[in-house]
């Protein structure tokens, strides 16, 4: 039984470090781009509200949840719309797409075709 918990702990630590590192890297890259453009990315999202869901979906496609982690504070601050948050979360759905497939296969195919074009 001790060996089981050792393997479980090792796997959990490895997964946490891999995912945490990837998300941190994505946030650092976005933060660096935001500084380099003097706030131009967020300013552009405010200016071109119609394109926010597209931008959110593109961020959501980034592996891990870096796009969603970036988008949520922007929604709370009123910078992006609720539709942008939905587009981001749909694009990050990953394994949860199997749940949608089991309940609404037609809808799942439609959604996945939109986010993986």
């Amino acid at each position: 039984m001790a060996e089981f918990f050792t393997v479980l702990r090792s796997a959990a630590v490895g997964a946490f470090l891999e995912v945490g590192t990837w998300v941190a890297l994505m946030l650092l890259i976005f933060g660096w781009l935001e500084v380099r453009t003097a706030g131009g990315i967020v300013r552009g999202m405010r200016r071109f509200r119609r394109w926010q869901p597209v931008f959110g979906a593109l961020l959501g496609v980034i592996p891990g949840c870096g796009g969603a982690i970036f988008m949520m504070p922007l929604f709370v601050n009123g910078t992006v719309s609720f539709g942008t948050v939905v587009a981001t979360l749909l694009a990050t759905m990953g394994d949860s797409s199997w749940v949608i497939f089991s309940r609404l296969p037609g809808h799942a195919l439609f959604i996945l075709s939109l986010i993986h074009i």
Side-chain angles (χ1 to χ4, degrees), residues 66-78 80 84-86 88-89:
I69 288 173
F70 166 73
M71 199 56 68
M72 293 309 146
L74 292 176
F75 174 69
V76 171
N77 291 334
V80 298
T84 303
V85 170
V86 170
T88 305
L89 293 177

Side-chain angles (χ1 to χ4, degrees), residues 26-109:
M26 290 296 105
L27 291 175
L28 283 172
I29 289 171
F30 187 83
W32 178 78
L33 287 172
E34 186 65 7
V35 168
R36 293 285 295 172
T37 62
I41 296 171
V42 172
R43 202 170 41 252
M45 283 193 291
R46 281 191 185 121
R47 184 171 177 209
F48 300 104
R49 290 190 68 84
R50 174 180 257 184
W51 290 98
Q52 285 179 357
V54 173
F55 184 71
L58 290 174
L59 278 178
V61 172
I62 296 170
C65 54
I69 288 173
F70 166 73
M71 199 56 68
M72 293 309 146
L74 292 176
F75 174 69
V76 171
N77 291 334
T79 302
V80 298
S81 67
F82 181 69
T84 303
V85 170
V86 170
T88 305
L89 293 177
L90 280 173
T92 62
M93 69 183 186
D95 292 338
S96 68
S97 63
W98 296 112
V99 175
I100 297 174
F101 266 118
S102 70
R103 302 286 297 170
L104 301 164
H107 289 77
L109 287 172

